Every structure is written in C-alpha cells, then in structure tokens.
C-alpha cells in the first residue's frame, strides 16, 4: 500500500493511502449532501414574507435616545423593600433625538430597572407615547453597544495576539458560520423547512468551513472533521429518539408561545432538535481537533508504534479530555438555566417530580444527548486518525538513551 506524507510538529507522518481514500470519499459524500441540502432548503424571499408576522408599533409610539441627568430614590408612591432600599426611583433625562430633542423629562422606574445600577450620564432608550393628553415616556433599556463593542474589540485583539494567523483564520471561519446561521438556518426554520434537515445541512457546511479555514486543509483536519460529523450524527439520532420518547413539545416557556404567534410555520419539536445540534457543534469541534492532533503527534514521536498502540495512547489523552469537557457541558447548561434551577427551592413538590416538566426535561435531553455524542466522538475520531496515519516502521538504529527499550513491533497494514 502506498503512503502519503504529512508534517507534524516532530517530523514527517506517513499517511495510509487506502484509509485516506476512504476518508476523503466519506467527506465528499457529506459535502455533497450538505450542498444539496442548502440548495433544497434555502428559503426564498416569498416564503419568508409569507412566514413572517412583523411586529408594528402603535400610532404615536417612537423610540428615542436620552441621557440620564439625575436619579432620585423614591417616587410619589414609594415602596420600601425588606432591605430598606427604595423599590422605585425617579429619573430625569435629556432627550437627545426625535421631535423632543433638547428637552428634559422625568419618569419613574420600578422592578428590575431599579437594581440595574443606572448612573447619571448613562445613555438610555425611552419610549415616547404621544397621547391626546400629552407626551408620556417610559424606560426601554440602556445603550449597551459601547460595552459590547469594547468587549468584541478586546476579544479580537486577544485572539490575534495569542493565536496570530491561526486566530485570524478562526475569526474568518466564525464570521462565515454566523452568516450561515443567520442567513440560512434561522430563516429556513421560520419558513417551516424540516428542522433536522436544516440543522444538519447548515452544521455540516459550518464545520467544513470552520475546520479547514482555522486549521488548514490536511488529512489531520479531515480526520477531525469526519469525527465531528459522525459525532453530530450520533447526537442527532439520540436527541431525536429522546425528544419523541419524552414527548417533548418544544414549548418550555413564554418565549416559545410568543414565537408561535409570530411564526406559525415553525415546528417546535424540530426547533428543540436544532438547538441540540447547534449546541453540540463547538464542543465536538474542540474534542475532535484535539484527538486528531494527539494521534498525529504520537505517530510523529513514535513511528515504531502500531496503529493500535497509537490508538490506545490517543484514547488515554481522550479520556482526560472527556472528563474535563463533560464538566464544561453540564455547567454551561446549568449556568444558562440558573433561574429555573433556583425555582426548585420554592416549589413544594418533590424535586424529582419536577424533572418531568418540559423546562427541566428539555434541558436534560439537550445535555445528555450532547454529552453522549461528545463522548462517542472521542473513540470515533481517534480511530479514524489512527487508521489514517501510516503503519509502524522498524527503526534503523537501536534505542537511544531514555527511549523505550521494547523492541519495535512488526509493521502492520491497515
């Protein structure tokens, strides 16, 4: 069997031609299916217009920019909280846009807005309502764009400073992935296209672009990509079975009910599956790239090892990675559902019975399906990478000081 070559950090890694052919054939099949899915499922402008119910504002309602001039604890009817702090504050603000630009007005804030840490000089957005008896204002939100832009710039600077060209390529891949998500996947779901097909086609396209752009076109990256896609297939299949078996509707809170009124074509069971598939992409990518790189480095450092020995060593690395990544998945979902988890302490029913509720069961299915797909992607990717590298080689020279004195095994063919 012939062999190709790939350069690792410690030297040249031979590549098994037969395994490479199978790998590239598999990826070509996935790629063709993904492109066909994008063409078939991409929603037209007419489909989007028919599926969307635009939210329109009432006559006389506009959104204006303003700057806080003063903050005073208490309102005309002040309510004290148990901590003694005012549950209402009076805000005086200068209007900086619209018909009332340059004028000053006041409004009262209650509830969560009292605890948001508003300060004099903050840029805010207010709702201006022109009624028959005058102009009324209400608080709509804080202008958070400066903070978000600053964090985004710091993120880009950190990526470029540490990862340099590789980081730049990762940012390019991230931009393309965002375009596919926002330009194809979400519109297709709104238009009522089959959710799982949309998620698989879009996710496959994203992984092809992200992995090859960020990590370069190579057999090592291809092995990681194949492991990612197969792990994604496991996650999808398991999630689909679990969603049906658990009789999940996809309606966990009021957001789903609101969305159903605006986009009645959405299948919310499919939407739940799309969330499971997209949620597993990032972690799968991390694990598979690490495993493929580990196998390549092991083969470069120990060309005398059999593929089975390389696989076993790669799995030892993978087990450590699984242990740490499982924590990442669970804590990420726990953090996103922290408010829901806190409600467990205020309900008189047994906690175990609450996990049958949709809001808890949905998160459980999402977490376990992603975690199982992640776990199985480790041996899948490690196996693909181990089969792709060339067979063991007999070292021409004897073992050097500090090397394993074990005699090199005989070469084996894939």
């Amino acid at each position: 069997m012939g062999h190709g070559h790939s350069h690792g950090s410690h030297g040249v890694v031979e590549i098994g031609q037969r395994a490479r052919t199978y790998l590239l054939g598999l990826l070509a099949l996935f790629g063709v299916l993904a492109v066909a899915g994008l063409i078939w499922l991409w929603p037209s402008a007419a489909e989007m217009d028919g599926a969307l119910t635009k939210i329109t504002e009432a006559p006389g309602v506009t959104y204006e920019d303003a700057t806080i001039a003063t903050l005073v604890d208490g309102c005309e009817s002040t309510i004290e909280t148990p901590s003694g702090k005012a549950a209402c504050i009076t805000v005086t603000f200068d209007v900086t846009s619209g018909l009332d630009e340059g004028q000053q007005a006041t409004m009262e804030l209650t509830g969560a807005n009292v605890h948001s840490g508003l300060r004099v000089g903050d840029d805010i957005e207010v709702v201006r309502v022109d009624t028959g008896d005058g102009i009324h204002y209400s608080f709509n939100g804080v202008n958070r764009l400066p903070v978000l832009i600053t964090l985004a710039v710091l993120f880009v600077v950190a990526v470029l400073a540490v990862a340099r060209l590789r980081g730049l390529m990762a940012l390019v891949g991230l931009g393309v992935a965002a375009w596919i998500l926002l330009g194809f996947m979400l519109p297709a779901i709104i238009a009522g296209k089959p959710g799982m097909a949309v998620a698989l086609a879009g996710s496959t396209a994203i992984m092809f672009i992200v992995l090859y752009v960020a990590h370069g076109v190579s057999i090592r990256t291809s092995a990681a990509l194949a492991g990612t896609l197969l792990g994604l297939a496991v996650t999808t299949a398991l999630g689909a079975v679990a969603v049906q078996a658990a009789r999940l509707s996809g309606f966990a809170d009021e957001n789903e009910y609101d969305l159903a009124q605006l986009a009645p074509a959405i299948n919310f069971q499919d939407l739940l599956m799309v969330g499971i598939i997209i949620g597993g992409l990032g972690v799968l990518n991390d694990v598979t790239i690490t495993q493929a790189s580990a196998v390549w480095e092991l083969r470069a450092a120990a060309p005398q090892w059999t593929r089975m020995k390389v696989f076993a060593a790669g799995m030892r690395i993978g087990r450590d990675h699984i242990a740490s990544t499982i924590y990442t998945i669970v804590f990420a979902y726990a953090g996103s559902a922290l408010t829901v988890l806190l409600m467990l302490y205020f309900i008189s029913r047994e906690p175990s019975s609450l996990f049958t509720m949709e809001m808890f069961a949905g998160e459980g299915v999402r977490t376990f399906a992603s975690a199982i797909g992640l776990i199985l992607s480790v041996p899948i990717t490690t196996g693909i990478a181990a089969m792709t590298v060339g067979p063991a080689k007999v070292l021409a020279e004897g073992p050097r000081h500090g090397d394993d004195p074990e005699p090199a095994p005989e070469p084996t063919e894939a």
Side-chain angles (χ1 to χ4, degrees), residues 149-174:
I149 291 174
T150 300
L151 289 174
V153 170
L154 290 175
F155 167 72
V156 172
V157 170
V159 169
L160 296 179
V162 176
R164 299 182 182 178
L165 181 60
R166 186 64 60 84
L168 176 62
M169 291 296 98
L171 291 175
V172 172
L174 184 61

Side-chain angles (χ1 to χ4, degrees), residues 1-354:
M1 181 175 66
H3 306 291
H5 293 84
S6 178
H7 294 273
S9 298
H10 296 94
V12 176
V13 175
E14 286 194 353
I15 299 171
Q17 292 293 337
R18 185 186 305 167
R20 180 174 68 175
T21 300
Y22 292 153
L23 173 61
L24 296 181
L26 177 65
L27 291 180
L29 175 61
F30 282 140
V32 169
L33 291 176
V35 171
L38 291 175
I39 296 173
W40 171 49
L41 297 167
W42 202 290
S44 65
E47 288 176 319
M48 288 301 299
D49 290 339
L52 286 174
T53 303
K54 293 288 188 179
I55 300 175
T56 58
E57 300 298 337
V61 176
T62 58
Y63 294 85
E64 310 296 350
D65 297 327
T67 302
I68 295 177
T70 63
L71 289 168
V72 179
D73 284 342
C75 302
E76 292 183 0
S77 55
T78 301
I79 302 173
E80 297 293 329
T81 63
S83 64
K85 294 183 179 180
C88 180
I89 57 177
T90 301
V91 179
T92 303
F93 57 92
D94 299 313
V95 182
T96 57
S97 69
L99 296 175
D100 298 333
E101 183 177 357
Q103 298 184 22
Q104 196 171 77
T106 62
M107 62 184 173
E108 296 180 352
L109 299 185
T110 58
N113 296 322
V114 176
H115 309 289
S116 62
L118 291 173
R119 298 178 182 177
V120 173
D122 282 350
D123 293 325
I124 61 174
E125 185 179 63
V126 295
V127 181
R128 180 184 183 274
V129 183
D130 188 355
T131 64
D133 58 350
I135 305 299
H136 298 274
Y137 289 95
S138 61
F139 180 78
N140 190 59
V142 178
N143 180 11
R144 299 181 174 90
L145 279 179
V147 175
L148 295 176
I149 291 174
T150 300
L151 289 174
V153 170
L154 290 175
F155 167 72
V156 172
V157 170
V159 169
L160 296 179
V162 176
R164 299 182 182 178
L165 181 60
R166 186 64 60 84
L168 176 62
M169 291 296 98
L171 291 175
V172 172
L174 184 61
V176 176
W179 177 75
I180 293 175
L181 177 64
L182 300 176
F184 164 67
M185 297 177 72
L186 298 187
I189 292 168
I190 291 173
K193 303 291 185 178
M196 287 179 59
V198 169
L200 287 174
S203 298
T204 301
I206 287 173
M207 286 296 98
F208 265 92
I209 295 168
V210 168
L211 286 177
Y212 282 132
V213 168
H215 302 281
V217 179
S218 66
I219 296 299
R220 175 171 58 182
T221 305
S222 298
L225 176 58
T228 301
L229 297 179
L230 292 174
L232 195 62
V234 172
T235 301
T236 302
L238 187 60
V241 171
V243 167
Q244 291 296 326
R247 304 295 188 265
L248 294 174
S249 66
F251 289 87
D253 56 36
E254 65 275 7
N255 290 326
E256 279 80 14
Y257 289 98
D258 292 341
L259 186 58
Q261 298 298 317
L262 299 172
I266 294 178
N267 182 317
F268 281 83
Q269 277 192 327
D270 281 358
L271 186 60
L272 177 59
M273 279 303 308
V274 172
I276 293 174
I277 293 169
I278 295 177
L281 283 182
V283 182
L284 274 173
N285 172 30
D286 173 45
V287 169
T288 55
I289 280 291
T290 299
Q291 287 306 113
S293 295
V295 169
W296 241 252
E297 295 301 319
L298 287 168
R299 166 55 82 217
Q304 76 277 14
W305 283 4
T306 64
R307 289 190 177 107
M308 183 57 68
K309 193 168 184 178
V310 170
F311 173 79
M315 282 302 300
R316 286 195 291 271
I317 298 171
R319 292 185 190 102
D320 287 336
H321 201 184
I322 287 174
S324 62
T325 311
I326 289 299
Y327 299 142
T328 301
I329 291 178
V330 173
F331 288 135
Y333 283 126
S336 64
L338 200 57
T339 303
V340 175
L341 294 176
L342 287 172
M343 292 299 295
L344 291 172
Y345 292 90
F346 301 95
I347 300 176
S348 58
R349 295 172 59 188
E350 287 293 326
S352 59
S353 65
L354 297 178

